Amino acid sequence: MSFTLAIVGRPNVGKSTLFNRLVGKRLALVDDQPGVTRDLREGDAKLIDLRFTVIDTAGLEEVTDDSLQGRMRRLTERAVDMADVCLFLIDGRVGVTPSDEVFADILRRKNANVILGVNKAEGKAGDSGAIEAWSLGLGEPIRLSAEHGEGMDDLYRILVPIADGFAERAEQDAPIVDVDVPEDSEDEADPEAHKPTDKHPLQIAVIGRPNAGKSTLINKILGHDRLLTGPEAGITRDAISIRTDWNGTPIRIFDTAGMRKKAKITDKVEKLSVSDGLRAVRFAEVVVVLLDVEIPFEQQDLRIADYAETEGRAVVIAVNKWDLEDDKQDKLAEVKEMFDRLLPQLRGAPLITVSAKTGRGLERLRDAILRAHDTWNQRIPTARLNSWLGAMTEAHPPPAPGGRRIKMRYMTQVKTRPPGFIVMCSHQDMVPDSYKRYLVNGLRDHFDMPGTPIRLTLRGQGDKNPYKDKKNFGTPSRLRKHMDKKKP
């Protein structure tokens, strides 16, 4: 997805109908009465060869109090702030209303990329509305019919140059992951190639539950109060990206909103904040899971850490507010035991105690992040891998389900960021998960890759068997050979 498009406008101008048209499904409720949409709805849009995220918003009302309409308006304004492009819809059959003029003025101040669309403009009924739309001062209006699909080609022509600009930005911000390893290279061409530079800084996301101290930690790293902090939980709403130099290491660090259990999230803005935080994880190379020393490893902490591992990012566990702990030795032993027991998929990941308030432990945290990043980029020669595989299978041979012996023939690394390996074997579908875990844990211990996600794929060699698809009819009998000779 190269950019985000928010569809805004007064109630009942056809925003949800256009949203459904762009995503190709009837995801949003549509009705003749105004005010059906109250929440923000995101979808993956497709317009010819463009792929982007589209947001359907509630109808804009001239209300600023805490009523339902006022909260809906604030939510829509937040979507405008988040979006890269805004499509402002008016009703071509009604024409420009005073509310449209007010909202057009707001959009001019809030968002640089505003497209003016005149919906319900099919036929002569929409001519007057399309002409009046020029008075809003948002440029040339596009005549659309969300119901009948008219004007989509005009919208496409306007979005193409905008999409190109955001595609370049997204390509620069997105981390390089799942890097293919050349088959003929036994050693890494440049061991320093992955080191952070000013052009490609190390991208770090700090995630955790509300009030764990994420913004305070980042302020301490920056050396000044760049982010709003306080004793209240849930102050941070957006995933904020900040570039800085951390003791000689260029970094881009993401501060994210606190992530509570899904069942406890009822506020629509908080839902968007959590979604923004999860998106920041996908833009990071190293994820710092920040825990509160008073209540470490709650269920939500485990889900957050598991999500980072599933996304294939290097993970560092940081226990904050360590200055408040009196019995540090016993608490550290307890936290390590919980970590090993509750997060076996991250066995060996760095666990650092810090105090975001005083700054103690930040240098150890930086060193752990750099080590995790190096491990995430590690390349192991094929010769060493196959020597190791032979020793592992000799120590503990694979099981033989149904009397069929499983042979581990060959192993090689095919990717880095995170490390990915392929094992060529027979009966790969019969290898139990426990044996795969045995191999993954062996890789971690022998090649010093603690905590980093490891992708291990078993692949059969049946496609290389020349006799795989040939049928065996057996040796022909003498009678059959004799009869075949008599046939003319």
PDB file of all heavy atoms in Angstrom, residues 444-459:
ATOM      1  N   ARG A 444      20.229 -21.765  17.104  1.00  0.00           N
ATOM      2  CA  ARG A 444      20.421 -20.655  18.037  1.00  0.00           C
ATOM      3  C   ARG A 444      21.665 -20.862  18.895  1.00  0.00           C
ATOM      4  O   ARG A 444      22.484 -19.952  19.064  1.00  0.00           O
ATOM      5  CB  ARG A 444      19.204 -20.514  18.948  1.00  0.00           C
ATOM      6  CG  ARG A 444      17.928 -20.069  18.289  1.00  0.00           C
ATOM      7  CD  ARG A 444      16.905 -19.706  19.359  1.00  0.00           C
ATOM      8  NE  ARG A 444      15.567 -19.651  18.826  1.00  0.00           N
ATOM      9  CZ  ARG A 444      15.067 -18.635  18.138  1.00  0.00           C
ATOM     10  NH1 ARG A 444      15.833 -17.591  17.917  1.00  0.00           N
ATOM     11  NH2 ARG A 444      13.836 -18.666  17.685  1.00  0.00           N
ATOM     12  N   ASP A 445      21.802 -22.089  19.457  1.00  0.00           N
ATOM     13  CA  ASP A 445      22.891 -22.347  20.399  1.00  0.00           C
ATOM     14  C   ASP A 445      24.247 -22.431  19.698  1.00  0.00           C
ATOM     15  O   ASP A 445      25.224 -21.822  20.150  1.00  0.00           O
ATOM     16  CB  ASP A 445      22.618 -23.650  21.163  1.00  0.00           C
ATOM     17  CG  ASP A 445      21.382 -23.550  22.041  1.00  0.00           C
ATOM     18  OD1 ASP A 445      21.012 -22.413  22.399  1.00  0.00           O
ATOM     19  OD2 ASP A 445      20.779 -24.600  22.348  1.00  0.00           O
ATOM     20  N   HIS A 446      24.308 -23.157  18.577  1.00  0.00           N
ATOM     21  CA  HIS A 446      25.604 -23.421  17.950  1.00  0.00           C
ATOM     22  C   HIS A 446      26.150 -22.200  17.216  1.00  0.00           C
ATOM     23  O   HIS A 446      27.360 -21.949  17.245  1.00  0.00           O
ATOM     24  CB  HIS A 446      25.475 -24.601  16.983  1.00  0.00           C
ATOM     25  CG  HIS A 446      26.780 -25.056  16.422  1.00  0.00           C
ATOM     26  ND1 HIS A 446      27.648 -25.872  17.112  1.00  0.00           N
ATOM     27  CD2 HIS A 446      27.397 -24.789  15.232  1.00  0.00           C
ATOM     28  CE1 HIS A 446      28.722 -26.105  16.390  1.00  0.00           C
ATOM     29  NE2 HIS A 446      28.598 -25.447  15.230  1.00  0.00           N
ATOM     30  N   PHE A 447      25.268 -21.437  16.553  1.00  0.00           N
ATOM     31  CA  PHE A 447      25.733 -20.308  15.742  1.00  0.00           C
ATOM     32  C   PHE A 447      25.500 -18.964  16.426  1.00  0.00           C
ATOM     33  O   PHE A 447      25.583 -17.918  15.769  1.00  0.00           O
ATOM     34  CB  PHE A 447      25.048 -20.325  14.372  1.00  0.00           C
ATOM     35  CG  PHE A 447      25.403 -21.527  13.547  1.00  0.00           C
ATOM     36  CD1 PHE A 447      24.488 -22.551  13.372  1.00  0.00           C
ATOM     37  CD2 PHE A 447      26.652 -21.647  12.977  1.00  0.00           C
ATOM     38  CE1 PHE A 447      24.806 -23.672  12.608  1.00  0.00           C
ATOM     39  CE2 PHE A 447      26.988 -22.755  12.214  1.00  0.00           C
ATOM     40  CZ  PHE A 447      26.066 -23.772  12.036  1.00  0.00           C
ATOM     41  N   ASP A 448      25.185 -18.994  17.725  1.00  0.00           N
ATOM     42  CA  ASP A 448      25.057 -17.776  18.525  1.00  0.00           C
ATOM     43  C   ASP A 448      24.036 -16.817  17.907  1.00  0.00           C
ATOM     44  O   ASP A 448      24.352 -15.684  17.534  1.00  0.00           O
ATOM     45  CB  ASP A 448      26.418 -17.090  18.672  1.00  0.00           C
ATOM     46  CG  ASP A 448      26.397 -16.008  19.752  1.00  0.00           C
ATOM     47  OD1 ASP A 448      25.515 -16.087  20.631  1.00  0.00           O
ATOM     48  OD2 ASP A 448      27.238 -15.098  19.701  1.00  0.00           O
ATOM     49  N   MET A 449      22.791 -17.292  17.789  1.00  0.00           N
ATOM     50  CA  MET A 449      21.699 -16.465  17.285  1.00  0.00           C
ATOM     51  C   MET A 449      20.564 -16.406  18.311  1.00  0.00           C
ATOM     52  O   MET A 449      19.444 -16.822  18.035  1.00  0.00           O
ATOM     53  CB  MET A 449      21.181 -17.015  15.956  1.00  0.00           C
ATOM     54  CG  MET A 449      22.188 -16.964  14.824  1.00  0.00           C
ATOM     55  SD  MET A 449      21.467 -17.297  13.202  1.00  0.00           S
ATOM     56  CE  MET A 449      21.001 -19.001  13.391  1.00  0.00           C
ATOM     57  N   PRO A 450      20.844 -15.912  19.514  1.00  0.00           N
ATOM     58  CA  PRO A 450      19.801 -15.926  20.546  1.00  0.00           C
ATOM     59  C   PRO A 450      18.695 -14.930  20.244  1.00  0.00           C
ATOM     60  O   PRO A 450      18.948 -13.784  19.859  1.00  0.00           O
ATOM     61  CB  PRO A 450      20.572 -15.525  21.812  1.00  0.00           C
ATOM     62  CG  PRO A 450      21.704 -14.701  21.308  1.00  0.00           C
ATOM     63  CD  PRO A 450      22.087 -15.285  19.988  1.00  0.00           C
ATOM     64  N   GLY A 451      17.454 -15.384  20.392  1.00  0.00           N
ATOM     65  CA  GLY A 451      16.317 -14.474  20.339  1.00  0.00           C
ATOM     66  C   GLY A 451      15.828 -14.071  18.970  1.00  0.00           C
ATOM     67  O   GLY A 451      14.669 -13.690  18.828  1.00  0.00           O
ATOM     68  N   THR A 452      16.663 -14.133  17.940  1.00  0.00           N
ATOM     69  CA  THR A 452      16.218 -13.677  16.627  1.00  0.00           C
ATOM     70  C   THR A 452      15.254 -14.677  16.007  1.00  0.00           C
ATOM     71  O   THR A 452      15.395 -15.891  16.187  1.00  0.00           O
ATOM     72  CB  THR A 452      17.423 -13.451  15.695  1.00  0.00           C
ATOM     73  OG1 THR A 452      17.004 -12.712  14.550  1.00  0.00           O
ATOM     74  CG2 THR A 452      18.020 -14.762  15.240  1.00  0.00           C
ATOM     75  N   PRO A 453      14.230 -14.218  15.275  1.00  0.00           N
ATOM     76  CA  PRO A 453      13.339 -15.164  14.592  1.00  0.00           C
ATOM     77  C   PRO A 453      14.113 -15.963  13.546  1.00  0.00           C
ATOM     78  O   PRO A 453      14.936 -15.415  12.810  1.00  0.00           O
ATOM     79  CB  PRO A 453      12.296 -14.253  13.929  1.00  0.00           C
ATOM     80  CG  PRO A 453      12.382 -12.958  14.653  1.00  0.00           C
ATOM     81  CD  PRO A 453      13.795 -12.825  15.109  1.00  0.00           C
ATOM     82  N   ILE A 454      13.867 -17.263  13.500  1.00  0.00           N
ATOM     83  CA  ILE A 454      14.517 -18.146  12.524  1.00  0.00           C
ATOM     84  C   ILE A 454      13.441 -18.847  11.723  1.00  0.00           C
ATOM     85  O   ILE A 454      12.500 -19.411  12.290  1.00  0.00           O
ATOM     86  CB  ILE A 454      15.429 -19.176  13.224  1.00  0.00           C
ATOM     87  CG1 ILE A 454      16.632 -18.476  13.871  1.00  0.00           C
ATOM     88  CG2 ILE A 454      15.922 -20.226  12.238  1.00  0.00           C
ATOM     89  CD1 ILE A 454      17.554 -19.403  14.627  1.00  0.00           C
ATOM     90  N   ARG A 455      13.551 -18.788  10.414  1.00  0.00           N
ATOM     91  CA  ARG A 455      12.587 -19.434   9.520  1.00  0.00           C
ATOM     92  C   ARG A 455      13.234 -20.700   8.950  1.00  0.00           C
ATOM     93  O   ARG A 455      14.241 -20.611   8.242  1.00  0.00           O
ATOM     94  CB  ARG A 455      12.192 -18.491   8.379  1.00  0.00           C
ATOM     95  CG  ARG A 455      11.627 -17.146   8.856  1.00  0.00           C
ATOM     96  CD  ARG A 455      10.277 -17.329   9.503  1.00  0.00           C
ATOM     97  NE  ARG A 455       9.666 -16.063   9.856  1.00  0.00           N
ATOM     98  CZ  ARG A 455       9.524 -15.612  11.082  1.00  0.00           C
ATOM     99  NH1 ARG A 455      10.001 -16.338  12.102  1.00  0.00           N
ATOM    100  NH2 ARG A 455       8.929 -14.465  11.335  1.00  0.00           N
ATOM    101  N   LEU A 456      12.664 -21.851   9.285  1.00  0.00           N
ATOM    102  CA  LEU A 456      13.186 -23.136   8.814  1.00  0.00           C
ATOM    103  C   LEU A 456      12.133 -23.805   7.948  1.00  0.00           C
ATOM    104  O   LEU A 456      11.003 -24.033   8.391  1.00  0.00           O
ATOM    105  CB  LEU A 456      13.547 -24.035  10.008  1.00  0.00           C
ATOM    106  CG  LEU A 456      14.173 -25.386   9.656  1.00  0.00           C
ATOM    107  CD1 LEU A 456      15.551 -25.193   9.049  1.00  0.00           C
ATOM    108  CD2 LEU A 456      14.269 -26.279  10.890  1.00  0.00           C
ATOM    109  N   THR A 457      12.495 -24.114   6.708  1.00  0.00           N
ATOM    110  CA  THR A 457      11.579 -24.735   5.756  1.00  0.00           C
ATOM    111  C   THR A 457      12.128 -26.091   5.344  1.00  0.00           C
ATOM    112  O   THR A 457      13.315 -26.208   5.007  1.00  0.00           O
ATOM    113  CB  THR A 457      11.392 -23.845   4.511  1.00  0.00           C
ATOM    114  OG1 THR A 457      10.955 -22.555   4.910  1.00  0.00           O
ATOM    115  CG2 THR A 457      10.373 -24.451   3.571  1.00  0.00           C
ATOM    116  N   LEU A 458      11.283 -27.105   5.383  1.00  0.00           N
ATOM    117  CA  LEU A 458      11.656 -28.438   4.916  1.00  0.00           C
ATOM    118  C   LEU A 458      11.114 -28.624   3.511  1.00  0.00           C
ATOM    119  O   LEU A 458       9.949 -28.337   3.238  1.00  0.00           O
ATOM    120  CB  LEU A 458      11.087 -29.513   5.855  1.00  0.00           C
ATOM    121  CG  LEU A 458      11.525 -29.422   7.324  1.00  0.00           C
ATOM    122  CD1 LEU A 458      10.893 -30.548   8.124  1.00  0.00           C
ATOM    123  CD2 LEU A 458      13.035 -29.475   7.443  1.00  0.00           C
ATOM    124  N   ARG A 459      11.959 -29.107   2.642  1.00  0.00           N
ATOM    125  CA  ARG A 459      11.553 -29.260   1.237  1.00  0.00           C
ATOM    126  C   ARG A 459      11.961 -30.647   0.750  1.00  0.00           C
ATOM    127  O   ARG A 459      13.076 -31.109   0.994  1.00  0.00           O
ATOM    128  CB  ARG A 459      12.213 -28.185   0.380  1.00  0.00           C
ATOM    129  CG  ARG A 459      11.761 -28.185  -1.067  1.00  0.00           C
ATOM    130  CD  ARG A 459      12.383 -27.017  -1.822  1.00  0.00           C
ATOM    131  NE  ARG A 459      11.915 -25.741  -1.297  1.00  0.00           N
ATOM    132  CZ  ARG A 459      12.396 -24.562  -1.688  1.00  0.00           C
ATOM    133  NH1 ARG A 459      13.387 -24.518  -2.584  1.00  0.00           N
ATOM    134  NH2 ARG A 459      11.920 -23.443  -1.194  1.00  0.00           N
TER     135      ARG A 459
END
